[in-house]
Amino acid sequence: MNGYWDGPKPEPQARTIDEMREVLADPGCTFGRPLYFMYRDLARSESDRAWLRQQHVRYDITVIPPGTLCGEYVKTKGHYHTVNPAGVPYPEIYEVLSGTGHYLLQTEDAGDVVMIEGTAGDKILIPPGYGHVTINPVKADLMMANLVSAEFSSNYGPYAEKRGAAYYEMEGGALVKNPCYPDAPPVRYCNPVEVPDLGIEKGVGLYDLIGRPRSVAFLNHPEQFMEIFAGVTGGCLLME
């Protein structure tokens, strides 16, 4: 995190391979170190923390070092989001701080599967109803920040039950279908999106949205901002 975070840095939560076996292409794979590190609920100052809490929003940073697990690129475990009081699943937004990330999104029935590649400065918006896995496909650390509602919780169960996402990304970039999803469609490839009206732009860091309540309101009240999610999975390319 050096060079990207100058505030208090708590001890990270480390995800080990034993916690990941149920979602790997090869559950018997071994790996000699933690797969990735999660620094949650960060704030550079007490005033920033107070503002984030007032907005019911959390700022996190995740670091995914490069590596392969028996031929599969290192990835996060994958989760869906719980629903808000209006009955709409909470969204989330990521910012790539360094490296390259492949964000594999899917609906819970895997009726739609989308891959978005992000590089430094890109924002990846996770629409309501989509689960997601983040993959590090290059030989450099992937460092990413996220903003999410402090009221939501991660649901890892559907990914664990089906041995991961609908596809595994293997070394070299090949996508191999998970046999637990025999009816999953081909992956659609989408680009990161910007929402200038909310300050969600490549040149604006997510942390810079602190102090701008409207810019983060969609995280708790997505039902009021459904139009911004339409562009996330629209106009994608279908790759057979």
PDB file of all heavy atoms in Angstrom, residues 17 34 66 96 110 166 204 236:
ATOM      1  N   ILE A  17      -5.232 -20.160   1.168  1.00  0.00           N
ATOM      2  CA  ILE A  17      -5.722 -21.123   0.179  1.00  0.00           C
ATOM      3  C   ILE A  17      -6.713 -22.093   0.803  1.00  0.00           C
ATOM      4  O   ILE A  17      -7.650 -22.552   0.144  1.00  0.00           O
ATOM      5  CB  ILE A  17      -4.557 -21.850  -0.509  1.00  0.00           C
ATOM      6  CG1 ILE A  17      -5.073 -22.595  -1.752  1.00  0.00           C
ATOM      7  CG2 ILE A  17      -3.848 -22.790   0.464  1.00  0.00           C
ATOM      8  CD1 ILE A  17      -4.013 -23.062  -2.687  1.00  0.00           C
ATOM      9  N   PRO A  34      -0.357 -16.372   1.889  1.00  0.00           N
ATOM     10  CA  PRO A  34      -1.726 -15.869   1.693  1.00  0.00           C
ATOM     11  C   PRO A  34      -1.947 -15.414   0.256  1.00  0.00           C
ATOM     12  O   PRO A  34      -1.021 -14.939  -0.416  1.00  0.00           O
ATOM     13  CB  PRO A  34      -1.806 -14.692   2.668  1.00  0.00           C
ATOM     14  CG  PRO A  34      -0.795 -15.004   3.714  1.00  0.00           C
ATOM     15  CD  PRO A  34       0.330 -15.693   2.996  1.00  0.00           C
ATOM     16  N   PRO A  66       0.592 -11.311  -7.478  1.00  0.00           N
ATOM     17  CA  PRO A  66       0.467 -12.216  -8.624  1.00  0.00           C
ATOM     18  C   PRO A  66       0.709 -13.660  -8.207  1.00  0.00           C
ATOM     19  O   PRO A  66       1.341 -13.938  -7.192  1.00  0.00           O
ATOM     20  CB  PRO A  66       1.554 -11.714  -9.580  1.00  0.00           C
ATOM     21  CG  PRO A  66       2.581 -11.094  -8.681  1.00  0.00           C
ATOM     22  CD  PRO A  66       1.806 -10.475  -7.555  1.00  0.00           C
ATOM     23  N   VAL A  96      -9.185   0.685  -9.499  1.00  0.00           N
ATOM     24  CA  VAL A  96      -7.865   0.066  -9.613  1.00  0.00           C
ATOM     25  C   VAL A  96      -6.821   1.125  -9.293  1.00  0.00           C
ATOM     26  O   VAL A  96      -6.738   2.158  -9.957  1.00  0.00           O
ATOM     27  CB  VAL A  96      -7.631  -0.513 -11.019  1.00  0.00           C
ATOM     28  CG1 VAL A  96      -6.223  -1.101 -11.124  1.00  0.00           C
ATOM     29  CG2 VAL A  96      -8.681  -1.576 -11.345  1.00  0.00           C
ATOM     30  N   ALA A 110     -26.466 -17.157 -13.064  1.00  0.00           N
ATOM     31  CA  ALA A 110     -25.450 -17.158 -14.132  1.00  0.00           C
ATOM     32  C   ALA A 110     -26.087 -17.010 -15.512  1.00  0.00           C
ATOM     33  O   ALA A 110     -25.507 -17.436 -16.509  1.00  0.00           O
ATOM     34  CB  ALA A 110     -24.569 -18.412 -14.070  1.00  0.00           C
ATOM     35  N   ALA A 166     -18.855 -18.962 -12.702  1.00  0.00           N
ATOM     36  CA  ALA A 166     -19.221 -19.759 -13.873  1.00  0.00           C
ATOM     37  C   ALA A 166     -18.016 -20.108 -14.739  1.00  0.00           C
ATOM     38  O   ALA A 166     -18.062 -21.089 -15.496  1.00  0.00           O
ATOM     39  CB  ALA A 166     -20.265 -19.013 -14.700  1.00  0.00           C
ATOM     40  N   VAL A 204     -10.657  10.898 -10.978  1.00  0.00           N
ATOM     41  CA  VAL A 204     -11.102  11.217  -9.617  1.00  0.00           C
ATOM     42  C   VAL A 204     -11.026   9.952  -8.779  1.00  0.00           C
ATOM     43  O   VAL A 204     -11.670   8.945  -9.094  1.00  0.00           O
ATOM     44  CB  VAL A 204     -12.545  11.762  -9.610  1.00  0.00           C
ATOM     45  CG1 VAL A 204     -12.997  12.064  -8.180  1.00  0.00           C
ATOM     46  CG2 VAL A 204     -12.656  13.004 -10.477  1.00  0.00           C
ATOM     47  N   CYS A 236     -21.902  -4.550 -24.453  1.00  0.00           N
ATOM     48  CA  CYS A 236     -20.732  -5.399 -24.291  1.00  0.00           C
ATOM     49  C   CYS A 236     -20.506  -6.258 -25.545  1.00  0.00           C
ATOM     50  O   CYS A 236     -21.414  -6.463 -26.344  1.00  0.00           O
ATOM     51  CB  CYS A 236     -20.904  -6.306 -23.081  1.00  0.00           C
ATOM     52  SG  CYS A 236     -21.279  -5.428 -21.560  1.00  0.00           S
TER      53      CYS A 236
END
